[in-house]
Amino acid sequence: MKVTGQKAKTGKDGADRVMRKKMLVANWKMYKTRVEAAEFMQHFLQETVVQHAVEIVICAPFTALADLAALLEKNGLQLGAQNMYWLDEGAFTGEISPLMLKEVGVKYVLIGHSERRRYFDEEEALIRKKVAAALAHGLNPILCVGENEEQRNAGQTEKVIQEQLWGALAGLDVKNELGEKIVLAYEPVWAIGTGTPARGEDAGAVAGLIRSLLREKGRGLAEKVRILYGGSVQAENITDFTAQNEIDGALVGGSSLKAPSFAALLKAVLEERGA
Ligand code: PEP
């Protein structure tokens, strides 16, 4: 299965418009043993007709990755990891390398998730190295950015997003082709796991800001990059986000943990798209 399924369409003005394929990314965090991961997949695949209109990525714990790889591939789903180190190998106890992820069939890797920034002190310099390493190894980074509550209340959302984005991409040879490889996830920290999502229009506006910032690096890049929203997404609200022009899908924590609720998210997106 092609990574993005993006197609160019020529609009009335003659400009190339890129059809960005919608994405639904499950972030299981530190949940699910191998047995639980297998049970989830069994139920999810029973409940769902996987359609290629939406690309589904399961970011599982490291221990479940190898088990899931063949099953996901057979069913047209993509395998993702939640983190990685940026070097190929070395004396870095407890870390995992891009090569190790590739070996077990990982295609996507979350980088800079707010829980990594907050609990493991990940900062821009490290995140930048991870993004570069993922790309160098043919892994697709899902780069997470987002302001916390304090920053939001201080009206600093735009500034924080810009700093995180440029911090992560600094020094990278940002060519238009990268638009098909890098995925951005706008995840306001105050919305993650709180049951209080952002408003669809507000998230759409931040996604628009991210795309306009990326235009500074290249128009082709900006139009191709998929921008997801994450933060308390549920079946009842997912289309508030996916209906926004600039939002191409969702990164989902809590609602991805149970097969019926994750299947309900997919169903909502497919119905919205008339698929
Ligand atoms: C996340 O972990 O990236 C996330 C968005 O979590 P939740 O959906 O639970 O808010």
Side-chain angles (χ1 to χ4, degrees):
M1 186 179 169
K2 199 168 175 290
V3 171
T4 62
Q6 295 164 340
K7 288 189 192 95
K9 268 195 175 172
T10 304
K12 282 190 193 136
D13 55 5
D16 268 356
R17 298 231 167 82
V18 175
M19 304 279 290
R20 296 181 296 266
K21 188 168 181 172
K22 293 275 183 217
M23 253 182 130
L24 193 52
V25 182
N27 174 16
W28 284 353
K29 313 195 186 201
M30 199 175 71
Y31 292 101
K32 296 200 189 301
T33 61
R34 293 168 60 207
V35 169
E36 289 164 345
E39 281 168 1
F40 174 100
M41 286 315 305
Q42 195 195 346
H43 291 141
F44 180 68
L45 293 170
Q46 265 164 16
E47 302 215 10
T48 316
V49 181
V50 174
Q51 296 199 22
H52 292 258
V54 177
E55 185 173 9
I56 300 172
V57 183
I58 306 286
C59 296
F62 294 135
T63 49
L65 291 174
D67 288 353
L68 291 176
L71 182 66
L72 295 192
E73 189 173 8
K74 190 169 133 217
N75 289 284
L77 283 72
Q78 305 286 345
L79 186 62
Q82 300 171 22
N83 181 31
M84 63 167 211
Y85 199 56
W86 59 282
L87 287 169
D88 290 1
E89 61 180 9
F92 300 100
T93 303
E95 293 294 328
I96 193 148
S97 88
L99 291 179
M100 295 164 184
L101 296 181
K102 280 205 76 173
E103 187 186 35
V104 294
V106 165
K107 299 282 182 322
Y108 286 90
V109 57
L110 295 177
I111 293 185
H113 190 280
S114 66
E115 286 152 19
R116 300 292 318 167
R117 294 178 192 255
R118 187 163 157 200
Y119 302 124
F120 303 96
D121 299 325
E122 288 200 9
E123 287 179 349
E124 254 49 74
L126 180 63
I127 291 168
R128 178 186 316 150
K129 287 178 183 158
K130 291 185 176 190
V131 169
L135 291 168
H137 286 283
L139 292 165
N140 302 297
I142 302 176
L143 171 65
C144 305
V145 295
E147 81 287 1
N148 63 29
E149 190 162 20
E150 204 184 329
Q151 293 162 333
R152 178 196 190 210
N153 293 339
Q156 294 174 340
T157 300
E158 198 166 314
K159 176 173 167 281
V160 170
I161 299 295
Q162 181 159 1
E163 280 170 7
Q164 291 180 346
L165 193 61
W166 288 165
L169 302 184
L172 207 70
D173 184 13
V174 186
K175 301 200 191 86
N176 284 350
E177 307 89 82
L178 281 191
E180 291 184 4
K181 300 194 175 115
I182 297 181
V183 177
L184 262 297
Y186 169 53
E187 296 214 302
V189 180
W190 48 268
I192 297 179
T194 60
T196 308
R199 293 191 322 153
E201 309 87 86
D202 293 344
V206 177
L209 165 74
I210 293 172
R211 206 176 298 286
S212 66
L213 287 168
L214 289 172
R215 274 192 199 105
E216 292 176 26
K217 298 274 178 199
R219 208 180 150 72
L221 167 87
E223 302 315 320
K224 283 180 190 158
V225 158
R226 284 178 294 174
I227 303 177
L228 314 180
Y229 166 78
S232 297
V233 169
Q234 295 173 351
E236 297 72 39
N237 63 28
I238 189 164
T239 54
D240 294 351
F241 302 102
T242 50
Q244 305 293 319
N245 277 343
E246 301 296 353
I247 297 182
D248 306 304
L251 173 53
V252 186
S255 300
S256 74
L257 290 174
K258 297 230 158 63
S261 60
F262 195 55
L265 294 177
L266 177 62
K267 189 162 172 268
V269 178
L270 288 171
E271 276 173 11
E272 179 203 31
R273 300 181 64 69

